[in-house]
């Protein structure tokens, strides 16, 4: 319709797909959505292309991008559809998180957080901002769903505990993310050359966060073997393929831990001398791990992590001719504002 933005049209299309594909309360449907968020230039597009068997070079993601894949469960059966969404810009475009997450898509929705292991100082703020923004929106959608379809909302709240065995010792200590979550550490080939102590802190911290949220955790790189493992995990989210039960918690190897298979006792306490733990004032285990992590990897200055509210000013999208025209238009606008201001002052004086 005239006046609608691109994102309003996209959101309406997502809602329409959800309505057409989800008859009944909590019914199993042949469409699932997987939403990739994470570090800027962290390798999200590469993972998606690999999962879809597309042999093409990855391009920078412009804001929010969509693609899909199909897979048949057997001979002469309709193909299941997986909708892949990818948020670009790291933490700079959080407002777009609401586009693919609606009350109609939420019941078959999964989240994949890709973190660049080669930039440990950016890791915690990227993870924290994206997970908080996504969780906040998902919680609102579930609350809204509960008003119109209480049964579906209740099923969703129960479903998040499926990965945790009823007799797991940490069951009372975790807070599962409201939708299935996979955390992927990318660029392991660079990370593996870090000092042992740095690798230890990063591995233990990510294990704690993943286990606390009831998420799976795995590391990857350009290695074909690692990409195949990641592809299997994504296919499980997208098409319901059987979940892998393999596990690797050795910090000298790429981590691979399926949700529910880790434990706080295996992870251990935050890697900091016992004398220093008492000096770290924290209100929760998550806050304690954050303080320990940021002591070794302090986040960059506010200016470098500041959200870019206007993507047109983001250097990665620079185009000289367009930018020159933009500058010219900005100057014309400022001139118009000054001219208008003078006119209003003159009117006030005359009156």
């Amino acid at each position: 319709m005239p006046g609608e933005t691109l994102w309003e049209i996209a959101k309406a299309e997502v809602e329409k797909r959800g309505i057409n594909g989800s008859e009944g309360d909590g019914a199993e449907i042949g469409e699932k959505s997987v939403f990739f968020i994470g570090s800027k230039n962290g390798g999200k597009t590469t993972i998606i292309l690999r999962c879809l068997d597309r042999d093409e070079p990855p391009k920078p993601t412009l804001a929010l991008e969509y693609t899909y894949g199909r897979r048949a469960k057997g001979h002469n059966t309709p193909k299941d559809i997986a909708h892949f969404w990818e948020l670009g810009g790291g933490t700079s475009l959080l407002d777009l998180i609401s586009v693919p997450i609606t009350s109609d898509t939420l019941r078959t929705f999964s989240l994949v957080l890709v973190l660049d292991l080669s930039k440990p100082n950016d890791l915690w703020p990227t993870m924290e901002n994206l997970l908080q923004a996504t969780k906040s929106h998902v919680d609102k959608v579930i609350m809204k769903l509960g008003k119109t379809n209480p049964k579906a909302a209740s099923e969703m709240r129960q479903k998040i505990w499926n990965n945790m065995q009823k007799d797991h010792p940490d069951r009372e200590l975790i807070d599962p993310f409201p939708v299935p979550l996979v955390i992927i550490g990318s660029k392991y080939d660079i990370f593996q050359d870090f000092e042992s102590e740095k690798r230890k802190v990063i591995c233990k911290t990510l294990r704690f966060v993943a286990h606390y949220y009831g998420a799976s955790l795995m590391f990857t790189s350009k290695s074909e073997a690692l990409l195949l493992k990641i592809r299997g995990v994504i296919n499980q989210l997208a098409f319901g393929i059987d979940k892998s039960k393999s596990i690797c918690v050795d910090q000298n190897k790429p981590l691979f831990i399926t949700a529910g298979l880790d434990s706080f006792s295996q992870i251990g306490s935050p890697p900091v001398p016992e004398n220093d733990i008492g000096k770290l004032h924290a209100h929760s285990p998550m806050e304690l791990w954050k303080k320990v992590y940021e002591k070794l990897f302090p986040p960059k200055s506010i200016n470098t992590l500041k959200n870019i509210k206007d993507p047109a000013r983001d250097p990665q999208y620079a185009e000289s001719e367009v930018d020159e025209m933009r500058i010219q238009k900005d100057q014309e606008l400022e001139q118009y504002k000054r001219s208008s201001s003078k006119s209003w002052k003159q009117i006030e004086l005359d009156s």
Side-chain angles (χ1 to χ4, degrees), residues 261-308:
L261 296 185
D262 213 342
S263 69
F264 290 136
S265 61
Q266 289 180 321
I267 296 168
S269 58
V272 64
E274 289 186 15
N275 296 336
D276 291 345
I277 285 189
K279 300 175 185 176
L280 298 171
H281 301 289
H283 300 290
S284 67
M286 183 67 76
E287 188 178 351
L288 177 62
W289 278 87
K290 176 181 178 180
K291 287 180 179 291
V292 171
Y293 184 87
E294 292 188 339
K295 190 174 182 181
L296 182 60
F297 301 108
K300 292 184 179 179
S301 66
I302 302 291
N303 290 333
T304 57
L305 291 174
K306 188 177 180 182
N307 287 351
I308 301 170

Side-chain angles (χ1 to χ4, degrees), residues 51-314:
C51 291
L52 295 175
D53 279 332
R54 293 183 187 170
D55 186 17
E56 56 187 80
K59 299 175 183 176
T61 301
L62 301 173
L64 182 68
E65 295 197 1
Y66 167 82
T67 188
Y68 68 93
R70 294 175 182 269
R71 186 181 182 121
K73 288 182 178 178
H75 295 296
N76 300 320
T77 59
K79 289 186 177 181
D80 288 341
I81 300 174
H83 305 284
F84 292 94
W85 295 86
E86 180 186 355
L87 181 70
T91 60
S92 65
L93 299 167
L94 298 180
D95 291 345
L96 296 180
I97 284 174
S98 63
V99 174
I101 306 175
T102 70
S103 57
D104 296 308
T105 62
L106 199 56
R107 281 176 280 174
T108 54
F109 197 92
S110 300
L111 187 70
V112 178
L113 173 65
V114 180
L115 298 171
D116 187 342
L117 296 174
S118 71
K119 297 178 180 177
N121 297 80
D122 292 344
L123 193 148
W124 189 282
T126 298
M127 174 175 66
E128 184 176 55
N129 289 335
L130 287 168
L131 289 182
Q132 283 182 355
T134 306
K135 186 176 186 300
S136 175
H137 180 68
V138 170
D139 286 342
K140 289 177 184 176
V141 174
I142 293 176
M143 192 176 296
K144 179 182 175 184
L145 180 65
K147 294 177 180 177
T148 58
N149 194 338
K151 184 179 178 182
S154 176
E155 285 177 353
M156 279 208 63
R157 293 191 182 98
Q158 291 299 319
K159 188 179 177 183
I160 62 175
W161 290 95
N162 287 353
N163 289 326
M164 187 64 64
Q165 295 178 3
K166 291 183 178 180
D167 59 350
H168 195 292
D170 300 335
R171 195 172 174 87
E172 301 299 321
L173 304 174
I174 68 170
D175 183 18
F177 206 76
V179 294
L181 171 64
V182 172
I183 300 176
I184 297 176
S186 65
K187 303 187 182 179
Y188 176 78
D189 49 327
I190 299 174
F191 169 80
Q192 66 183 346
D193 293 328
F194 284 9
E195 296 173 11
S196 176
E197 188 59 30
K198 290 184 176 181
R199 283 188 282 111
K200 177 183 176 182
V201 172
I202 295 172
C203 286
K204 291 189 70 169
T205 300
L206 288 178
R207 283 180 66 187
F208 171 82
V209 172
H211 186 55
Y212 180 80
Y213 283 127
S216 295
L217 172 66
M218 50 214 58
F219 290 174
T220 190
S221 66
K222 294 178 181 178
S223 157
E224 186 65 20
L226 291 178
L227 283 172
L228 278 173
K229 274 192 165 186
I230 297 298
R231 180 185 175 186
V233 172
I234 303 304
N235 278 340
Q236 192 277 322
L237 297 177
F239 301 107
I241 307 301
D242 290 343
K243 189 180 296 185
S244 171
K245 293 293 184 182
S246 64
I247 183 170
C248 177
V249 296
D250 185 348
Q251 70 180 48
N252 297 311
K253 298 178 181 178
L255 296 184
F256 190 96
I257 309 167
T258 304
L261 296 185
D262 213 342
S263 69
F264 290 136
S265 61
Q266 289 180 321
I267 296 168
S269 58
V272 64
E274 289 186 15
N275 296 336
D276 291 345
I277 285 189
K279 300 175 185 176
L280 298 171
H281 301 289
H283 300 290
S284 67
M286 183 67 76
E287 188 178 351
L288 177 62
W289 278 87
K290 176 181 178 180
K291 287 180 179 291
V292 171
Y293 184 87
E294 292 188 339
K295 190 174 182 181
L296 182 60
F297 301 108
K300 292 184 179 179
S301 66
I302 302 291
N303 290 333
T304 57
L305 291 174
K306 188 177 180 182
N307 287 351
I308 301 170
K309 295 299 181 183
D310 184 358
R313 301 184 187 280
D314 190 333

Side-chain angles (χ1 to χ4, degrees), residues 317-344:
Y317 306 131
E319 290 188 32
S320 57
E321 292 182 6
V322 175
D323 293 340
E324 287 173 9
M325 182 62 70
R326 172 68 184 261
I327 292 171
Q328 181 182 329
K329 293 297 180 183
D330 285 346
Q331 291 172 345
E332 291 175 359
L333 179 60
E334 286 301 316
Q335 187 176 350
Y336 173 76
K337 287 178 180 178
R338 288 195 294 270
S339 175
S340 298
S341 177
K342 289 178 182 178
S343 299
W344 279 110

